[in-house]
Amino acid sequence: MPSVAGVAVRLAGVTRVFPGHAPVLDRLDLEVAPGEMILLTGPSGSGKTTLLQLAAGLDRPDAGEVWVGDVLVSDLDSAVDLRRHDVGFVFQLHHLLPSLTAQRNVELPLLAARVPGHERRDRAGAALELVGLAGNADRLPATLSGGERQRVALARAIVHRPRLLLADEPTGALDRVSADLVIALLAALRDAGTTILVVSHDETFARVCDRHLVVEGGTLRPASPAVTA
C-alpha cells in the first residue's frame, strides 16, 4: 500500500504483538497531516508508546505498514538515518549526558549526522535560544532545574530540524509552570510546520492539539469531550 500525498504519518493496518500477550495494537489505522499536532491518551499499557516507537522506527509492526512521508519505515533494515534527519523524539525523562554541557548535549544528533563543528555550534545555540535557554549553554545538567533539563532535551530533539516530532509524556515529571512552557514550545513548533504526536495525561494538551485520540483495545477512537486522560 503506497504512501498518500499530503500525509506526514500513516499507519495502515498496524498490528503489534508481544509474546504471551494479546495484540497491543490490532489493525490500527492513523493518518496525520503535515503540521498537525495529535494528542494520544489511553489506559496504561494500551500501546501509546508503542505507536510512537513504530513511527520512529524504534520498533517494527508484526503486520501492516508505517510511513513517514514517502518513507516506508516498517520496511527499513535500520531507521537510524530517518531519526538523524526527519524524526525527533522527546522522552518523559530528559536522558541528558551528565558530563556534557547543555550545548554539547544538544549538539549530539548533529555530531552523529557528521555536521561540521561550526554549524553544529550555531544550530545548537539557535535551538537553545528557541527554548529560552541561550544563557545556559555552558551549564551541566545537574545545575539546571527539571524544567530546564526537559527544555534542553526538546532543543536536542529539534536541532536537526525534523519534519516529525514524537513526544512521550514530555511534561510528566514537571511542575505546572515548566509544563506549560514545554506545551507552549510544542504548539509553536506545530505552528511553524512541524508534525507532532504527543502521548500525555496532561489535560492542557487537549486545548492546544488539533486532534485528541484515545488508544484503547488495540485501536484508536476520538476522545469524547469528557475524556482528558
Side-chain angles (χ1 to χ4, degrees):
M1 187 178 297
S3 63
V4 176
V7 174
V9 182
R10 184 174 185 239
L11 280 70
V14 165
T15 295
R16 184 68 176 100
V17 183
F18 295 104
H21 298 274
V24 64
L25 301 177
D26 187 10
R27 293 167 290 178
L28 180 144
D29 294 318
L30 173 64
E31 289 188 0
V32 184
E36 192 174 17
M37 186 171 175
I38 304 294
L39 172 62
L40 300 170
T41 60
S44 177
S46 62
K48 304 182 297 294
T49 295
T50 298
L51 193 157
L52 294 189
Q53 291 174 338
L54 290 169
L58 293 167
D59 194 9
R60 300 183 71 168
D62 295 288
E65 295 181 344
V66 179
W67 292 83
V68 173
D70 58 359
V71 177
L72 181 55
V73 180
S74 52
D75 203 37
L76 295 174
D77 291 331
S78 171
V80 170
D81 283 344
L82 179 78
R83 292 191 295 274
R84 284 178 179 169
H85 300 288
D86 295 318
V87 177
F89 210 116
V90 183
F91 301 90
Q92 178 175 352
L93 298 178
H94 51 79
H95 297 301
L96 301 178
L97 295 182
S99 62
L100 298 182
T101 64
Q103 171 85 21
R104 294 293 189 185
N105 267 286
V106 175
E107 286 183 25
L108 285 175
L110 303 180
L111 183 64
R114 299 182 179 179
V115 174
H118 68 281
E119 185 178 349
R120 288 201 310 270
R121 290 187 291 273
D122 289 347
R123 287 171 60 175
L128 284 169
E129 184 174 4
L130 183 64
V131 301
L133 293 175
N136 295 275
D138 294 329
R139 293 176 61 183
L140 294 173
T143 70
L144 299 170
S145 70
E148 288 169 337
R149 289 193 292 269
Q150 188 66 319
R151 282 188 281 156
V152 173
L154 177 56
R156 182 183 57 190
I158 64 173
V159 71
H160 60 301
R161 302 164 186 162
R163 294 182 293 162
L164 172 64
L165 184 63
L166 306 168
D168 193 2
E169 295 286 3
T171 63
L174 303 182
D175 60 75
R176 186 70 263 158
V177 172
S178 297
D180 286 344
L181 282 172
V182 169
I183 291 169
L185 287 167
L186 290 172
L189 289 168
R190 179 272 314 277
D191 293 343
T194 304
T195 304
I196 303 176
L197 296 180
V198 181
V199 166
S200 181
H201 290 87
D202 189 333
E203 64 184 35
T204 305
F205 272 112
R207 298 199 289 269
V208 301
C209 287
D210 300 296
R211 280 190 288 160
H212 179 182
L213 302 175
V214 179
V215 187
E216 191 174 51
T219 189
L220 289 169
R221 63 172 175 82
S224 65
V227 174
T228 60

